[in-house]
């Protein structure tokens, strides 16, 4: 499998009073990109931040930013998130009446598009947009909050997405990301099923040995599982 193993934080557990310092520390700890959990309080119960907050942290890191848009109207502010410094926008299949058009718009704005699938959403939801994305996010929790339990029954869906990508000749070009409950005890199952981008919030910020240990340990576990 040629897709690299990428370890990325969810910023949900970060200290929101100093996000610039937090993303700088995450970069120093060795993460590969930063995921911003954008929540609108409608598509998911929680409410987090918009593009201006992301923009305020942009100059504190050289890493790619991606916005996980857990919102009902991703088209409305897509350009704002790109202008804030996000190079990838992740939209939820469940929130997009016209998913193909939404992804096409993101690409026309100069960013890459990705689709997130909630636990109950079948992999088939992405069948006709594989040419418009560079990543599929298989949620391993129901979105809205960090610190939830990993849902292992998502592993067959991860494997199904991998098969779909192989059948479409896109397996080398499209990442499979997982998000939710990813930690030392769960990362191997997701990675061995096909995930190569692993989002962790609690497991990174709550490691008693610090961020760098957490990143190194998770990466080693994921790479061993993908070998
Ligand atoms: O995005 C969500 C839920 O919407 C979370 O899954 C966080 O992104 C990561 O949470 P942890 O389980 O890693 O703390």
């Amino acid at each position: 499998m040629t897709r690299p193993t990428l370890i990325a934080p969810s910023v949900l557990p970060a200290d929101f009073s100093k996000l610039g310092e937090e993303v700088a520390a995450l970069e120093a700890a060795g993460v590969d990109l930063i995921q911003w959990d954008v929540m609108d309080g409608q598509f998911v119960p929680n409410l987090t931040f918009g593009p201006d907050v992301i923009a305020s942290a942009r100059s504190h890191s050289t890493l790619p930013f991606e916005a996980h848009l857990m919102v009902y109207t991703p088209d409305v502010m897509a350009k704002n998130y790109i202008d804030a410094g996000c190079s990838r926008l992740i939209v939820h299949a469940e929130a997009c009446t016209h998913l193909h058009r939404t992804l096409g718009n993101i690409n026309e704005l100069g960013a890459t598009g990705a689709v997130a699938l909630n636990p109950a959403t079948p992999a088939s939801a992405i069948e006709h947009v594989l040419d418009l994305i560079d990543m599929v996010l298989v949620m391993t929790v129901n979105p809205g909050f960090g610190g939830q339990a990993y849902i292992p029954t998502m592993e067959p869906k991860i494997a199904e997405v991998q098969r779909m990508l192989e059948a479409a000749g896109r397996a080398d070009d499209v990442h499979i990301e997982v998000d939710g409950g990813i930690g030392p005890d769960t990362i191997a199952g997701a990675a061995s099923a096909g995930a190569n981008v692993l989002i962790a919030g609690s497991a990174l910020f709550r490691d008693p040995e610090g961020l760098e240990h957490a990143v190194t340990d998770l990466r080693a576990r994921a790479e061993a599982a993908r070998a």
Side-chain angles (χ1 to χ4, degrees), residues 119-133:
T121 303
S124 60
I126 59 167
E127 186 174 358
H128 300 294
V129 295
L130 292 179
D131 59 317
L132 296 174
I133 59 176

Side-chain angles (χ1 to χ4, degrees), residues 1 5-7 140 150-152 154-156 158-159 176 178-200 203 214-227:
M1 189 176 297
T5 299
L6 303 177
I7 303 296
T140 45
Y150 175 77
I151 303 174
M154 292 299 105
E155 289 173 11
I158 298 166
I176 301 177
V178 291
D179 179 4
I182 299 298
D185 298 332
T186 59
I187 195 167
S192 60
N196 70 290
V197 185
L198 303 118
I199 302 292
V215 174
T216 303
D217 179 60
L218 289 178
R219 188 185 306 280
R221 292 173 187 267
E223 289 181 340
R226 297 185 67 214

